[in-house]
Amino acid sequence: MQRRYISLVAAGVALGTTIALTGCGGTAGSDGVTLRLVAADYGNGAENSSQKYWDELADAFEAGNPGITVDVEVHSWKDVDRRVAEMVADGNAPDIAQIGAYADYAEQDRLYPVDELVKIPTQANFLPELSEAGQTERVQYGLPFAASTRLLFFNEELFSDAGIEPPQDWSQLRAAAERLKARGVKYPFALPLGSEESQAEAMIWMLSGGGGYRDRNGGSYEIDSERNIGTFTWLRDNLVGPGLTGPVAPGKLDRAQAFEAFTRGEVGMLSGHPTLMQRAEQKGIEVGMVPMPGVDGEARASMGVADWMMAFRQNGHRREIGRFLDFAYSDENVLEFSDRYDILPVTVSASEAMAADDEHKRLWKFLEALPTSELYPSGEVSWAKVSASVKRNIGDAVAPKGDPAAVLTRIANDAAKAESEADRR
């Protein structure tokens, strides 16, 4: 576990203009409590690691809450879910975790319901669609922490040099990729279906092809539907097979690798979220963004992503956790995190502030897409296992000699097993 050795007095002075110090109140009765927080890293290196944000936030909180210490441990997205699962299995659950899924822990009665943690104004301020997504059996256990939507990113200079326009459907996307390849672009279309976050890339393409993980009414999984099979068959035959996805096989390409290649000017197109926009612009890449193309036009829905905060019961620190969360979800702190990592805020008031501020204009396209986007079925207890199966298998679906139907059926069988196990609990 990483410990912070920053002086609280110095931190209070240094952080007064960035992390809000107000609104945390006193902590009479909290004596010598240490909260352990495990969080995901939204940065792309030591320079902008989320460890810095959380350490600053913790120092500011401690300055106004004597008797409560917050220790923060940050892991990459590749490792954080697994790390928390190991801690829970070892009987050493953190007090707070900020990770990708909460439902399995909620079903095991390991989490505090949100209404037992935070004040009513805090809970009521979450965007409604995110509050709903944070519920299991109509009880909210997941506090949305960060949100984003996905758009098709393209390198404007490479497109201009090739004389092509942003694609509006799949046939135009393939034609654009062919032109880019002919001009020597290393990754005409980067398709990251490696283990890091392939459940997201897979969902983007499922929605683009008119499918999805579940049916439209939120019922059972339909991973091996005809539409989804058709989508991954198209990817295999029209992008991967002709060599339009670059030198690394999609099943071996992680999102971080694809994003880094984009910032180096080696990628013509890929699905991106707000953080990539900032990183690319810092490297001098002119970024264009359009809605994800569908089969015959714009995709029927964009993919939305919400990451989750949750509080474990094990150590009995409900009151102290609630104080920290109320502090973390103040507008000042929500917007500070959003500014640092180009992430969409998850509260109504912070979203309204962002929409009214021209300094955030470049995020408006993403913000506008959020209310109508589709999110993972994160409230399903089975989702963590389904997501893990997608990460293990989906790259095989688009391999040149792969069998999309067989791979999607394999994942669908894993999903059915996960649902059956959840029903038996």
Side-chain angles (χ1 to χ4, degrees), residues 54-326:
W54 285 114
D55 286 349
E56 291 170 6
L57 187 74
D59 286 333
F61 173 76
E62 291 169 358
N65 290 269
I68 305 178
T69 301
V70 183
D71 281 339
V72 184
E73 181 178 337
V74 171
H75 295 276
S76 73
W77 271 112
K78 215 171 177 181
D79 299 324
V80 68
D81 288 334
R82 175 186 55 78
R83 180 70 185 114
V84 170
E86 290 172 349
M87 295 169 75
V88 172
D90 290 342
N92 189 32
D95 295 285
I96 308 168
Q98 185 268 301
I99 52 177
Y102 65 87
D104 198 39
Y105 299 124
E107 195 273 340
Q108 297 169 25
D109 197 29
R110 295 182 183 273
L111 304 180
Y112 288 112
V114 174
D115 61 8
E116 293 183 11
L117 291 168
V118 298
K119 295 177 181 177
I120 291 174
T122 301
Q123 186 174 8
N125 197 26
F126 292 122
L127 291 167
E129 62 274 15
L130 299 182
S131 286
E132 184 177 347
Q135 297 176 12
T136 295
E137 300 295 331
R138 300 188 179 182
V139 177
Q140 186 178 357
Y141 293 95
L143 297 89
F145 175 71
S148 67
T149 52
R150 303 298 169 90
L151 297 173
L152 179 70
F153 280 43
F154 62 94
N155 184 311
E156 288 190 339
E157 182 178 354
L158 295 179
F159 266 56
S160 177
D161 289 345
I164 50 181
E165 296 294 326
Q168 298 180 7
D169 59 32
W170 285 3
S171 63
Q172 292 179 13
L173 189 148
R174 172 176 173 156
E178 289 172 337
R179 293 283 293 274
L180 292 165
K181 182 182 180 182
R183 296 186 66 85
V185 175
K186 190 172 183 179
Y187 295 87
F189 189 99
L191 185 65
L193 291 175
S195 62
E196 182 183 19
E197 205 192 29
S198 54
Q199 81 282 4
E201 188 72 17
M203 184 173 175
I204 291 168
W205 280 98
M206 288 176 181
L207 293 174
S208 179
Y213 282 117
R214 299 179 76 86
D215 67 36
R216 295 291 165 267
N217 298 318
S220 60
Y221 288 103
E222 53 175 22
I223 294 168
D224 56 348
S225 68
E226 289 186 11
R227 285 182 174 177
N228 289 343
I229 292 171
T231 292
F232 287 94
T233 300
W234 187 89
L235 287 170
R236 181 196 65 187
D237 295 343
N238 290 272
L239 292 184
V240 181
L244 302 178
T245 54
V248 180
K252 301 294 184 182
L253 184 66
D254 282 340
R255 182 191 66 175
Q257 293 173 273
F259 280 15
E260 284 299 316
F262 188 82
T263 66
R264 294 194 300 267
E266 298 173 354
V267 175
M269 298 174 280
L270 83 173
S271 300
H273 56 59
T275 302
L276 175 60
M277 176 179 58
Q278 179 190 59
R279 290 165 52 187
E281 290 172 350
Q282 289 172 346
K283 294 295 183 69
I285 303 298
E286 295 182 37
V287 182
M289 295 174 291
V290 294
M292 186 67 186
V295 179
D296 299 312
E298 184 178 324
R300 63 164 189 83
S302 63
M303 191 193 79
V305 175
D307 303 323
W308 302 100
M309 189 85 79
M310 63 211 68
F312 286 86
R313 293 179 178 273
Q314 180 175 320
N315 300 314
H317 295 151
R318 179 184 64 82
R319 185 177 63 171
E320 292 82 5
I321 292 169
R323 279 206 182 92
F324 178 76
L325 293 175
D326 281 323

